[in-house]
Amino acid sequence: MVVGAATWFPVYFFPVVRFAASDAWAEAIWVIAVPLLWLLCIVQVFWVYHDPKKHDRMMKARWRAKGREMPSEHLLAERPLRALGMLVFLPFLIRFCYLCILVIWVPMATAAVVNKPISHDFTVSELRDGSRGPDVIEFEGHYWMLNGVPSPPEKIWNTANPGDTIRLSGTGNRWGVFYNKIELVK
């Protein structure tokens, strides 16, 4: 399993960052982190929203500290469906944020700190034509947000096929590479 450069997230928000994470990091954290993240998210949300009246008192105090009165439509005690929605859907949002930190930013930070010459090989699973964004070479075993090389060089794009190996070279460590060179290894 390999984690690579994101197709849409870094392309639009960080166009100069060309990073591909190896499978070593993803496999290491996936088995341990996913159950722990779910537990942490549920505990966090339940701690805040388990008692809607206590939450409302806390929020009223925050509004008063700002010198304003809290509108009644923000009260959770009077809106049980809103409280239930928070308890059900907020863990998914928090888990997504934690996974972004663990799967994207931790390998990037460690690769930036170590910063030694390295190359990683990735197997092409699909070539996706960029009708709504850049052309993307997707790698096998990627997560939905981290699935390939966006805007590959024209020479690589025209000759690559599913099953081929792409070598990304640059600086980094065993968890990822900030690549500046892309090679097609048949």
Side-chain angles (χ1 to χ4, degrees), residues 148-184:
V149 174
S151 304
E154 195 68 31
K155 180 181 173 188
I156 302 287
W157 176 256
N158 291 332
T159 56
N161 293 310
D164 289 347
T165 301
I166 300 267
R167 178 172 292 141
L168 302 178
S169 303
T171 59
N173 62 8
R174 68 184 183 102
W175 286 348
V177 59
F178 287 98
Y179 60 90
N180 53 17
K181 184 178 179 186
I182 302 172
E183 297 175 74
L184 180 61

Side-chain angles (χ1 to χ4, degrees), residues 21-124:
S22 72
D23 59 345
W25 176 251
E27 288 175 1
I29 64 134
W30 205 250
V31 173
I32 297 168
V34 171
L36 290 178
L37 286 177
W38 274 116
L39 180 64
L40 180 63
C41 295
I42 291 169
V43 167
Q44 280 183 325
V45 171
F46 186 72
W47 180 73
V48 173
Y49 294 105
H50 76 283
D51 184 2
K53 291 181 182 180
K54 182 179 176 183
H55 177 266
D56 289 345
R57 285 192 303 272
M58 177 185 71
M59 292 305 291
K60 282 181 183 180
R62 292 175 91 185
W63 278 73
R64 265 185 260 140
K66 295 178 185 178
R68 296 184 287 179
E69 190 63 34
M70 183 174 163
S72 62
E73 64 263 10
H74 292 314
L75 298 174
L76 281 180
E78 295 177 10
R79 302 186 80 177
L81 288 178
R82 178 182 269 183
L84 180 64
M86 294 291 195
L87 286 172
V88 172
F89 296 110
L90 209 52
F92 291 100
L93 178 64
I94 294 172
R95 179 182 173 268
F96 175 76
C97 295
Y98 283 144
L99 283 177
C100 286
I101 291 168
L102 283 174
V103 175
I104 298 172
W105 299 112
V106 169
M108 283 180 106
T110 58
V113 169
V114 173
N115 205 21
K116 65 178 183 178
I118 195 164
S119 64
H120 288 282
D121 293 344
F122 301 95
T123 304
V124 175

